């Protein structure tokens, strides 16, 4: 049976205190909510015992302080009431109401902890009490309830007072009040344990030998009054402050709205994997590697040496070995060392070998459209790899995030888990990573993706085209260019001069800009060093119709401009109006709209610049419509300043 006693206590004359509170200035009645948990008496009150009577209530710690000389009234309903708490009110500092909710037994809180938590959330001060001579109750609080209260108290920041009541007992003499006495630790709570609990809860620790008026008023009362005064000061800050001269005719400044949000720049998803997949499926015109079966001699497929060497150290060793430029002989990537295990120099097992010429062999025109050029023929010696060569090449071209898809495709084709495991180990060896003793069967290989071609960027390795830009030589690879750029694919695939020439001149673009353009094609990233460099790369991307690169450059321009402080923006030599003109000229629609909003949001800066007059009539109307601050606000601000000056002048005349 839980306690439900609630008494309304009216203090005649109240309890007054002049410390920190001026009663004559208190206009609005304020209240303080105190929640008390625990019992000062040994044993406390259990859920099966009777509720506290009026005499027991008056003997409590908080009643002794707040209710001295009070008259108890009838029950009164309260929004803060809870069956586990006894509720009463009093007055301090003249007209400050104190609402106390006291729960003498911790066991009563377990019945409805959610309701108890709602009471604790509204507490201004929390008082936790226990008896020094009731060690079992203290251990219950320390081990059971303190861990539940600690995170709540840290989150709410409520001041906590931990009060230990009673004198420690000593069998050999009178009661001991020394905090360091350990003669009765078996039955009493030591001072050190109480102090440690207060540190865990972040509480102020007090020890009261008894509940007489000296200890309650001088020690406990002083601490409680301090926290009540701090609580009242905090609540006074939260109330709207009244200004001295706030009269009806006092002018109010106009409200300045926040500037409109700049429109976002949307960037397309990366198509790097799809581009390389297209190269494998339809780029046979630029293939320079042919795969043949070791058993039947049947042609299995085509590939591109630049991509294969960039992705796989195995193919790099196979196609670019030390004997690559000697006379054509049949060779294997891993030269045997006489051990008969198919391994050489600690490398992976021999899965492929070259024959009939190698890199220097010229191959004539083929009816399938393959142009004359250097062709490397590779013999696939492993039967499992012969069956799943297409899936393996697709994985090498698309990247290591397709590892699970490769396992599924190989499993559907081989229908044998042991064969699938063997083939996956051999494919892993293509990436230069043999399965170690700690690797699991499903271990993923190192990731490939756009970074797999970074070694080919601006490298003469397998280069088959040279760009001449402002006298600089920039090597490149047709296979990568046609896969990543539609304009390049048309340029190298059609009947243009670039398709038959190894040296291609580039006009109208600087070497740094074109090098940044090539870097994006190889690595799928773009990091211009400045606003002007980003705009130059944007123009180059629009020239070659690479839409995603154009969007990335738009993002870079916006990021650079938005990071400039107002002072730098006003003094910079970069003309935002001319950037607007170039964005419109080169079909950068997102950047064009963003720059219009950017000019409008910084209207006071750009409207004073000479190039502001270069805006068209339509653009100027849009900027005027979006401008910040608006004309209406500036007019209201001018009127407010005039009223302030008039009011100040009239006050001076009165004085």
């Amino acid at each position: 049976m839980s306690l439900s006693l609630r008494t309304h206590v009216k203090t005649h004359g109240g309890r007054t205190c002049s410390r920190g509170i001026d009663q004559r200035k208190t206009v609005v009645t304020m209240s303080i909510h105190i929640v008390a948990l625990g019992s000062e008496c040994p044993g406390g009150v259990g859920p099966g015992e009777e509720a506290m009577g009026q005499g027991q209530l008056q003997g409590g710690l908080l009643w002794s302080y707040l209710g001295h000389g009070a008259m108890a009234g009838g029950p009164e309903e309260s929004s803060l009431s809870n069956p586990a708490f006894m509720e009463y009110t009093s007055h301090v500092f003249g007209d400050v109401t104190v609402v106390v909710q006291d729960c003498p037994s911790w066991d009563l809180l377990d019945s409805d902890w959610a309701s108890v938590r709602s009471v604790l959330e509204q507490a201004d001060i929390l008082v936790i009490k226990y008896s020094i001579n009731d060690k079992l109750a203290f251990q219950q609080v320390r081990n059971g309830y303190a861990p539940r209260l600690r995170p709540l108290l840290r989150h709410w920041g409520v001041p906590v007072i931990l009060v230990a009541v009673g004198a420690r007992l000593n069998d050999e003499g009178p009661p001991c009040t020394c905090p360091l006495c350990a003669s009765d630790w078996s039955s009493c709570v030591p001072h050190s344990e109480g102090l440690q609990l207060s540190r865990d809860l972040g509480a102020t620790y007090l020890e009261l030998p008894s509940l007489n008026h000296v200890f309650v008023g001088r020690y406990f009362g002083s601490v409680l009054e301090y926290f009540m005064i701090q609580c009242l000061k905090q609540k006074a800050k939260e109330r709207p402050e009244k200004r001295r001269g706030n009269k009806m005719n006092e002018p109010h400044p106009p409200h300045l709205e926040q500037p409109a949000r700049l429109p976002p720049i949307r960037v397309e998803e990366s198509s790097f994997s799809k581009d390389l997949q297209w190269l494998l499926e339809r780029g046979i015109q630029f293939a320079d590697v042919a795969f043949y079966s070791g058993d039947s001699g049947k042609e299995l497929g085509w590939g591109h040496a630049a991509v294969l060497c960039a992705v796989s150290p195995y193919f790099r060793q196979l196609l670019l070995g030390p004997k690559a430029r000697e006379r054509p002989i049949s060779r294997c990537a891993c030269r045997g060392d006489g051990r008969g295990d198919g391994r050489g120099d600690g490398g992976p097992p021999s899965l492929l070998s070259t024959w009939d010429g190698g890199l220097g062999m010229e191959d004539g025109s083929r009816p399938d459209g393959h142009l004359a050029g250097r062709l490397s023929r590779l013999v696939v010696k492993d039967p499992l790899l012969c069956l799943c060569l297409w899936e393996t090449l697709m994985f090498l071209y698309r990247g290591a995030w397709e590892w699970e898809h490769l396992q599924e495709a190989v499993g559907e084709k081989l229908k044998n888990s042991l064969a699938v495991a063997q083939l996956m180990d051999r494919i892993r060896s293509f990436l230069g990573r043999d399965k170690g003793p700690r690797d699991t069967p499903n271990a993923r290989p190192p990731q490939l993706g756009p970074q797999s071609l970074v070694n080919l960027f601006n490298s003469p390795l397998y280069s088959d085209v040279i760009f001449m830009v402002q006298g600089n030589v920039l090597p490149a690879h047709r296979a990568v260019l046609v896969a990543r750029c539609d304009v390049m694919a048309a340029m190298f695939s059609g009947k243009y001069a670039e398709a038959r020439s190894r040296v291609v001149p580039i006009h109208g673009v600087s070497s740094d800009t074109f090098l940044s353009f090539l870097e994006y094609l190889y690595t799928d990233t773009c990091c211009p060093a400045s606003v002007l460099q980003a705009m130059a790369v944007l123009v180059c991307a629009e020239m070659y119709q690479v839409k995603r690169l154009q969007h990335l450059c738009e993002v870079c321009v916006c990021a650079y401009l938005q990071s400039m402080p107002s002072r730098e923006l006003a003094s910079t030599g970069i003309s935002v109006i001319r950037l607007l003109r170039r964005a419109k000229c080169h079909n950068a629609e997102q950047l064009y709209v963003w720059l219009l909003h950017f000019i409008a949001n910084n209207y006071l800066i750009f409207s004073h610049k000479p190039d502001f007059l270069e805006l068209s009539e339509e653009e100027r109307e849009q900027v005027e419509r979006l401008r910040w601050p608006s004309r209406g606000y500036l007019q209201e601000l001018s009127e407010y300043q005039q009223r302030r000056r008039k009011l100040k002048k009239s006050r001076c005349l009165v004085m």
Side-chain angles (χ1 to χ4, degrees):
M1 175 178 178
S2 61
L3 297 177
S4 60
L5 175 60
R6 296 187 300 274
T7 59
H8 183 69
V9 182
K10 297 181 180 179
T11 305
H12 299 285
R15 182 178 180 86
T16 62
C17 178
S18 60
R19 190 183 323 175
I21 302 294
D22 190 349
Q23 300 175 14
R24 294 174 296 179
K25 296 181 180 180
T26 304
V27 179
V28 181
T29 302
M30 302 184 70
S31 63
I32 299 176
H33 181 208
I34 301 177
V35 175
L37 303 177
S39 176
E40 313 89 327
C41 304
V45 179
E49 301 179 14
E50 296 183 356
M52 262 193 181
Q54 183 64 34
Q56 292 175 302
L57 184 63
Q58 292 182 359
L61 175 64
L62 286 166
W63 184 280
S64 300
Y65 171 74
L66 297 173
H68 181 67
M71 297 296 294
E76 178 181 335
E77 292 296 330
S78 172
S79 59
L80 300 174
S81 61
N82 183 281
F85 291 88
M86 297 179 299
E87 183 177 322
Y88 52 95
T89 62
S90 182
H91 293 275
V92 296
F93 308 138
D95 56 355
V96 178
T97 303
V98 178
V99 181
V100 181
Q101 286 187 283
D102 198 336
C103 180
S105 175
W106 292 93
D107 295 332
L108 299 176
L109 303 179
D110 289 331
S111 59
D112 190 1
W113 180 256
S115 177
V116 172
R117 175 169 175 164
S118 65
V119 174
L120 294 176
E121 287 179 355
Q122 303 178 53
D124 296 319
I125 302 173
L126 179 62
V127 179
I128 300 177
K129 307 166 293 180
Y130 69 90
S131 174
I132 287 181
N133 298 309
D134 193 348
K135 192 166 185 177
L136 294 179
F138 172 81
Q139 292 175 348
Q140 180 186 14
V141 174
R142 181 187 60 187
N143 302 329
Y145 296 98
R148 302 166 68 178
L149 292 173
R150 188 182 304 114
L152 303 180
L153 297 177
R154 290 179 180 176
H155 178 70
W156 294 329
V158 179
V160 184
I161 305 175
L162 181 64
V163 184
V165 181
R168 294 181 179 84
L169 302 179
N170 193 327
D171 297 334
E172 299 179 357
C176 177
T177 59
C178 176
L180 302 178
C181 181
S183 60
D184 49 10
W185 279 15
S186 60
S187 59
C188 300
V189 180
H191 171 83
S192 58
E193 293 187 8
L195 185 61
Q196 182 61 40
L197 178 60
S198 67
R199 292 173 179 172
D200 294 341
L201 296 176
T204 301
Y205 181 61
L206 294 175
E207 279 194 6
L208 305 179
S210 64
L211 295 181
N212 58 36
H213 66 280
V214 176
F215 295 109
V216 174
R218 181 176 299 178
Y219 297 109
F220 174 73
S222 299
V223 175
L224 185 62
E225 287 178 9
Y226 169 78
F227 286 119
M228 287 193 294
I229 292 173
Q230 297 300 321
C231 179
L232 292 175
K233 288 182 179 180
Q234 183 65 27
K235 290 186 176 183
K237 290 182 181 179
E238 296 174 357
R239 292 165 47 200
E241 297 182 358
K242 294 187 176 181
R243 301 179 181 177
R244 289 184 177 180
N246 189 13
K247 301 179 180 179
M248 295 300 295
N249 59 349
E250 185 77 16
H252 297 280
H255 176 66
L256 179 61
E257 299 288 344
Q258 292 295 325
R261 280 190 175 185
L262 297 172
I265 303 295
R266 305 188 183 278
V267 181
E268 300 174 355
E269 294 184 1
S270 175
S271 60
F272 190 89
S273 297
K274 294 181 180 179
D275 293 340
L276 291 187
Q277 180 178 346
W278 176 91
L279 178 64
L280 179 63
E281 294 175 343
R282 304 181 184 180
I284 189 174
Q285 182 179 358
F286 302 94
D288 50 6
V289 175
F291 294 91
Y292 294 88
S293 173
D295 297 333
S296 62
K298 179 182 177 181
E299 182 178 317
L300 300 177
W302 294 80
H304 306 81
V307 177
L308 293 175
C309 290
V311 172
S312 170
Y314 184 87
F315 281 99
R316 193 180 307 124
Q317 182 183 7
L318 183 66
L319 297 174
L320 300 175
K323 298 182 180 180
R325 301 195 179 278
E326 297 180 3
R327 69 180 176 83
I329 59 173
S330 177
R331 58 187 172 82
C332 176
C334 301
R335 297 174 297 278
D337 57 358
R339 292 179 296 182
D341 58 354
R343 288 182 173 268
D345 301 333
S350 178
L351 305 177
L352 301 99
S353 62
T354 61
W355 67 283
D356 195 17
L359 293 179
M361 188 67 181
E362 296 289 337
D363 187 41
S365 301
R366 295 176 54 88
D368 56 7
H370 190 285
L371 298 181
R374 296 181 301 179
L375 179 65
S376 297
R377 296 178 174 87
L378 300 182
V379 178
V380 183
K381 302 166 65 175
D382 184 77
L384 296 178
L385 189 59
C386 284
L387 293 175
C388 302
L389 179 65
W390 175 257
E391 290 79 7
T392 303
L393 292 177
M394 184 66 69
F395 161 72
L396 294 177
Y397 274 66
R398 286 185 59 92
W401 53 83
E402 302 286 341
W403 183 255
E404 288 78 10
H405 299 285
L406 174 64
Q407 284 182 315
E408 295 178 2
V410 170
E412 293 178 359
K413 203 163 192 178
L414 297 181
K415 306 294 184 181
N416 188 324
S417 59
L418 181 60
V420 170
Q422 293 177 353
L423 181 59
M424 297 303 289
D425 289 342
R426 294 168 186 174
I427 295 175
R428 189 184 286 107
S429 68
F430 284 159
L431 303 178
R433 181 177 183 270
D434 290 336
K435 184 179 176 183
R438 296 185 180 181
D439 292 339
T440 60
N442 297 325
R444 294 172 59 89
Q447 286 198 358
L448 303 178
Q451 295 302 320
S452 60
L453 301 185
V454 68
N455 294 328
L456 293 180
F457 169 61
N458 200 21
S459 171
L461 177 66
Y462 262 97
S463 172
D464 53 3
V465 63
I466 295 175
F467 292 104
M468 295 296 299
V469 189
Q470 293 182 333
N472 296 319
V473 177
L474 303 180
H477 307 79
R478 295 175 190 263
V480 178
L481 299 179
V482 300
R484 298 283 288 145
C485 178
D486 294 338
V487 174
M488 291 280 189
M491 184 172 64
F492 291 121
S493 302
K495 297 181 180 179
Y496 299 100
E498 292 83 358
R500 299 182 299 273
S501 176
R502 178 174 176 82
V503 180
V504 177
I506 300 295
H507 304 285
V509 181
S510 67
S511 59
D512 292 339
T513 301
F514 195 77
L515 192 64
S516 298
F517 172 73
L518 292 179
E519 182 180 9
Y520 169 78
L521 298 183
Y522 280 83
T523 64
D524 205 43
T525 59
C526 177
C527 299
S530 64
V531 175
L532 298 180
Q533 178 68 14
M535 286 300 300
V537 178
L538 184 147
V539 173
C540 184
E542 192 266 341
M543 182 189 306
Y544 288 96
Q545 296 298 306
V546 183
K547 205 68 177 177
R548 184 172 182 270
L549 176 58
Q550 191 173 357
H551 293 167
L552 291 177
C553 293
E554 291 176 345
V555 172
C556 290
V557 173
C558 297
Y560 282 127
L561 291 179
Q562 205 166 7
S563 63
M564 289 185 180
S566 299
R567 181 175 299 179
E568 183 180 356
L569 198 62
S571 60
T572 182
I574 301 174
S575 175
V576 178
I577 307 298
R578 294 178 183 176
L579 292 180
L580 182 72
R581 297 266 70 83
R582 295 189 69 185
K584 185 176 182 179
C585 179
H586 294 283
N587 301 317
E589 298 178 359
Q590 295 188 98
L591 180 60
Y592 176 76
V593 175
W594 189 91
L595 287 175
L596 280 177
H597 283 76
F598 185 72
I599 295 172
N601 284 4
N602 299 273
Y603 184 86
L604 297 180
I605 296 177
F606 294 112
S607 61
H608 294 87
K609 293 193 173 186
D611 55 2
F612 186 76
L613 300 177
E614 298 179 10
L615 291 175
S616 65
E617 184 177 353
E618 181 182 356
E619 293 170 345
R620 194 173 302 176
E621 290 179 357
Q622 187 173 357
V623 170
E624 290 289 345
R625 180 173 55 85
L626 299 172
R627 61 174 290 180
W628 182 88
S630 63
R631 288 184 179 274
Y633 171 79
L634 295 179
Q635 184 177 357
E636 292 178 4
L637 181 61
S638 177
E639 295 174 355
Y640 165 74
Q641 292 174 347
Q642 292 179 4
R643 291 195 301 268
R644 291 280 297 177
R645 284 194 293 267
K646 290 180 180 179
L647 183 60
K648 184 177 181 181
K649 187 176 181 181
S650 63
R651 288 177 178 174
C652 291
L653 292 177
V654 172
M655 293 297 291

